Amino acid sequence: MASKSILNKKSLDFLEKYLNNASPTGYEWEGQKIWMDYLKPYVDEFITDTYGSAVAVINPEAKYKVVIEGHADEISWYVNYISDNGLLYVVRNGGSDHQIAPSKIVNIHTKNGIVKGVFGWPAIHTRNKSKEEAPKPDNICIDIGAKDKEEVEKMGVHVGCVITYPDEFHILNKDKFVCRALDNRMGGFMIAEVARLLKENKQELDFGLYITNSVQEEIGLRGAEMITQTIKPNVAIVTDVTHDTTTPMIDQKTQGYAEIGKGPVVAYAPAVQQKLRDLITETAEEKNIPFQRAALSRATGTDTDAFAYSNGGVASALISLPLRYMHTTVEMVHRDDVENVIKLIYESLLKIENGETFSYFK
């Protein structure tokens, strides 16, 4: 491949704006507006649904429909309990990691705007060194500077308020993108870039392309489950993140091997339709796009499962972006992998033929 970057200033500005906006599970619509606004020049129309999934459509009249998909939501917390002395206890909204919470600043979303808080933690001097307690969901709490429960309520904070981290996008060593919520705002970004490149390169598809940004993946693939019934696609290529397993404390014998900078990760799993996956890997080989492989037992744990097992079976595949430190506020991906996922989806779309069934029996 030519070494010229396919990402330009406009796309990187969009990525930064899109990442820095909070989009917790169940509250994705502001992020979806940013995403749709960026995609407007490149598509024919939009579909949105009751729970906030957004779909940008090219060739809406076509009978044969191909989905490329990422998910829009990020993990967060809910206020679960307010103590008499004004501290907030939390429950997860998605797979939030209790171990990283202590000493993090948080944004509590109220109807009057953001209220700042901190996850406090007992000072090292006060802890029993012989049996130190680890952070757990039931012992982490947020201090918003209120003296009691009444003051918390006066500040507009109540049970059910959603809580996010304010960490913003930055770049390490020129080519590592770092932020919270790269899982899976990167997916939404990459599929948007595919749409941009199709338009800029004047590529005409002879099928309908449904660029789909699903909500509520982090709590059980729920947005994809809903939107696949609306679209009723023939094919779905899903992109999400997967673990870089080269950092400390990860067992490669159980987690497999993947590394940032080595290319997209193509999944092998029962939900992945093998002829569609073969089209993707053959495209990668033909176009010299580096890729890695991953074996996933039973379920992929991504929206691939929701698409594959819907509508009587939809030929589905998963192309993952390797990522370090998943579900922390310092998730990290390699710019080269981002570009290669975009290229691999783009080139694979150009190989899909209108009406292709991917049947094993012909």
Side-chain angles (χ1 to χ4, degrees):
M1 297 299 290
S3 58
K4 185 177 178 292
S5 175
I6 56 175
L7 305 182
N8 58 31
K9 184 176 186 309
K10 188 184 171 199
S11 53
L12 289 170
D13 287 349
F14 159 60
L15 176 61
E16 183 161 1
K17 182 180 181 185
Y18 184 47
L19 277 167
N20 289 351
N21 173 79
S23 191
T25 301
Y27 299 81
E28 299 93 345
W29 59 87
E30 290 303 330
Q32 297 288 51
K33 288 178 192 170
I34 294 167
W35 184 80
M36 288 190 285
D37 191 51
Y38 179 73
L39 269 162
K40 238 177 230 150
Y42 313 126
V43 302
D44 299 320
E45 67 178 45
F46 291 96
I47 301 166
T48 54
D49 74 6
T50 311
Y51 278 85
S53 288
V55 185
V57 188
I58 297 171
N59 300 340
E61 304 306 317
K63 283 196 162 50
Y64 189 80
K65 300 174 183 179
V66 177
V67 160
I68 57 174
E69 193 259 10
H71 72 82
D73 57 316
E74 66 183 276
I75 55 170
S76 55
W77 301 96
Y78 282 122
V79 177
N80 184 48
Y81 171 75
I82 302 165
S83 71
D84 291 341
N85 62 344
L87 297 173
L88 315 180
Y89 289 81
V90 296
V91 287
R92 290 189 180 97
N93 183 21
S96 302
D97 188 346
H98 49 278
Q99 292 211 351
I100 67 155
S103 87
K104 292 297 295 179
I105 294 166
V106 297
N107 286 340
I108 301 159
H109 299 257
T110 77
K111 71 168 191 264
N112 306 318
I114 299 290
V115 172
K116 288 281 183 187
V118 294
F119 270 112
W121 194 244
I124 188 169
H125 324 66
T126 67
R127 302 198 301 261
N128 182 336
K129 310 291 183 295
S130 63
K131 49 174 189 191
E132 284 215 302
E133 250 192 282
K136 297 198 289 277
D138 61 359
N139 69 11
I140 56 172
C141 61
I142 294 170
D143 191 329
I144 60 171
K147 71 175 188 295
D148 55 26
K149 188 174 183 175
E150 193 183 348
E151 202 164 44
V152 170
E153 285 162 357
K154 276 196 188 127
M155 292 167 76
V157 175
H158 54 75
V159 168
C161 282
V162 75
I163 302 155
T164 58
Y165 295 116
D167 302 67
E168 295 197 336
F169 175 75
H170 56 283
I171 296 173
L172 288 183
N173 194 21
K174 301 192 186 74
D175 57 10
K176 313 301 185 305
F177 296 165
V178 178
C179 197
R180 43 151 259 297
L182 295 186
D183 174 11
N184 183 32
R185 218 69 53 78
M186 290 312 305
F189 171 72
M190 293 185 297
I191 59 177
E193 289 299 276
V194 171
R196 174 178 70 82
L197 291 171
L198 287 168
K199 183 78 168 181
E200 289 177 358
N201 297 338
K202 299 185 170 56
Q203 291 287 357
E204 299 283 331
L205 301 172
D206 63 353
F207 49 78
L209 183 64
Y210 290 70
I211 302 122
T212 303
N213 211 3
S214 303
V215 297
Q216 300 199 21
E217 187 273 349
E218 294 289 358
I219 51 89
L221 323 181
R222 297 306 191 192
E225 212 169 77
M226 291 181 271
I227 202 69
T228 186
Q229 307 300 337
T230 302
I231 299 169
K232 297 192 166 29
N234 301 88
V235 179
I237 298 174
V238 172
T239 183
D240 206 329
V241 294
T242 192
H243 303 288
D244 172 320
T245 59
T246 65
T247 55
M249 298 165 66
I250 298 175
D251 180 359
Q252 292 182 358
K253 291 187 203 69
T254 56
Q255 298 295 326
Y257 168 80
E259 185 172 355
I260 62 170
K262 295 283 182 77
V265 181
V266 176
Y268 286 67
V272 173
Q273 213 279 350
Q274 298 194 42
K275 287 200 167 185
L276 175 60
R277 189 197 51 239
D278 289 347
L279 178 146
I280 291 166
T281 55
E282 285 161 16
T283 300
E285 284 162 356
E286 185 189 319
K287 299 292 179 183
N288 294 318
I289 300 169
F291 71 95
Q292 308 175 76
R293 292 181 167 95
L296 303 169
S297 179
R298 292 180 69 87
T300 70
T302 71
D303 284 337
T304 314
D305 304 333
F307 280 96
Y309 302 133
S310 71
N311 299 296
V314 173
S316 299
L318 173 61
I319 301 172
S320 298
L321 177 68
L323 172 142
R324 289 181 168 183
Y325 319 124
M326 198 182 294
H327 287 200
T328 71
T329 55
V330 292
E331 293 181 336
M332 181 189 296
V333 297
H334 198 301
R335 178 178 175 142
D336 291 353
D337 295 334
V338 174
E339 297 205 25
N340 282 319
V341 170
I342 295 165
K343 287 174 190 168
L344 185 51
I345 296 172
Y346 174 92
E347 296 290 353
S348 297
L349 288 176
L350 299 183
K351 295 271 187 206
I352 293 174
E353 291 178 8
N354 183 10
E356 175 60 68
T357 63
F358 295 99
S359 170
Y360 295 134
F361 302 103
K362 66 170 198 185

